[in-house]
Amino acid sequence: MPLPRISALSLNVSDPSGLSRFYCDVLGMNLLANAGGAVSLGYAGEDARLELVRRDQSTPYQPDRNDRYWKIAITLPDLDVAFAQLRSAGIDVTEPAQFRDIAYMSHLADPEGHVIELIQHTFHEKPKTKQGNVELPLGGGARIGLITLRTDDIETELMNCHDTLGMRYLSRQDLADLGFCLYFLAYTEDTPPDTDVNAVENREWLWQRPYTVLEFQHLFTGEIQQMKAGERGASSVLIDEPGGERKTVR
């Protein structure tokens, strides 16, 4: 029986068509639809797509550490090739670095300020799943691997995602010294290498999943600013049920 899937992230933006050119020309996504002030785009796989919806407001999007929405993460085989391409194109992107025993990663933002994380399938100095092709955007093999939300009530989030929405709890990554902990859930029947959600062995495996995983950053302090309808920035994470029903996480 088919599983539900995390199908899209909806972003309210000032210029959907203009922003889509960045995602397509620079990050290698495909334009799927462009009608009625909304643009749909994504990679050619089972991962989520982006839905860019026009919102005409004078106030630009300003990300904040306490926002409910944080980022997407694009997972890929060869971060060094992707980084070299982006720097050559004049994109302001951070140097790739191994962040503890979490991931080999880098960061940038799209032209309207939405944070994008790049995560290599494997840790730095580990064998790559595939050598990047300099002729392909980001070296090829990119997908939207994560959509990341913040929370100050992780128990409620886990109960909703697991018990109500039917997601599987895959990984927990503790960064208590930084004031937060990361939790990862998805619609899948895949089995992680280790049944312990805290196991480091599950992390590279997680970055190699072909579908999109929902990540929660549990902040130990601060009050989360929820997504608000009509304002710039993320408005919802969309979930498609096999029977055609659509659910949202906000």
Side-chain angles (χ1 to χ4, degrees):
M1 180 177 178
L3 294 172
R5 59 184 292 265
I6 298 170
S7 59
L9 170 67
S10 181
L11 295 175
N12 294 331
V13 304
S14 65
D15 182 8
S17 294
L19 191 57
S20 70
R21 287 192 288 274
F22 169 83
Y23 281 100
C24 293
D25 296 347
V26 176
L27 302 183
M29 293 188 186
N30 304 305
L31 183 64
L32 304 175
N34 186 351
V39 176
S40 179
L41 62 156
Y43 295 109
E46 57 185 286
D47 54 319
R49 64 189 179 277
L50 295 181
E51 292 188 353
L52 309 179
V53 181
R54 182 183 298 280
R55 288 290 182 265
D56 294 319
Q57 293 178 317
S58 58
T59 304
Y61 171 66
Q62 294 288 344
D64 186 276
R65 187 180 186 274
N66 290 325
D67 286 344
R68 169 68 162 165
Y69 173 72
W70 180 10
K71 62 177 173 63
I72 61 168
I74 295 176
T75 52
L76 39 69
D78 194 332
L79 179 53
D80 295 322
V81 167
F83 171 77
Q85 286 183 346
L86 293 169
R87 275 289 174 91
S88 294
I91 304 299
D92 185 10
V93 56
T94 65
E95 292 271 357
Q98 178 67 37
F99 177 58
R100 302 192 180 184
D101 54 6
I102 304 295
Y104 185 51
M105 62 173 62
S106 180
H107 293 88
L108 66 149
D110 74 17
E112 293 206 18
H114 303 99
V115 175
I116 299 167
E117 189 172 70
L118 303 177
I119 296 180
Q120 185 168 283
H121 289 168
T122 54
F123 291 171
H124 188 43
E125 297 184 347
K126 289 281 196 73
K128 295 180 173 65
T129 56
K130 187 178 181 180
Q131 293 297 315
N133 183 341
V134 296
E135 301 298 323
L136 297 176
L138 300 182
R143 64 179 62 89
I144 297 178
L146 303 174
I147 296 172
T148 307
L149 304 179
R150 296 186 177 99
T151 184
D152 52 15
D153 184 1
I154 191 59
E155 294 305 323
T156 297
E157 303 285 7
L158 293 177
M159 184 179 300
N160 180 53
C161 288
H162 183 270
D163 297 348
T164 304
L165 296 176
M167 294 184 189
R168 186 172 181 181
Y169 182 18
L170 299 174
S171 180
R172 177 181 180 274
Q173 302 175 15
D174 190 3
L175 294 158
D177 62 310
L178 299 180
F180 63 87
C181 187
L182 305 175
Y183 296 77
F184 300 82
L185 301 100
Y187 290 108
T188 182
E189 295 177 343
D190 293 348
T191 301
D194 195 310
T195 56
D196 180 3
V197 294
N198 297 292
V200 173
E201 289 75 16
N202 292 345
R203 297 174 186 179
E204 290 175 292
W205 173 88
L206 193 66
W207 314 143
Q208 297 172 38
R209 298 306 89 203
Y211 41 80
T212 299
V213 174
L214 185 62
E215 174 186 12
F216 287 101
Q217 183 193 42
H218 177 213
L219 295 177
F220 301 158
T221 60
E223 184 175 348
I224 300 301
Q225 303 174 39
Q226 298 296 321
M227 302 179 195
K228 297 179 181 179
E231 291 191 1
R232 294 271 185 87
S235 63
S236 60
V237 178
L238 307 178
I239 296 169
D240 286 349
E241 297 280 353
E245 181 185 0
R246 171 168 283 186
K247 297 180 179 179
T248 61
V249 178
R250 287 188 167 88

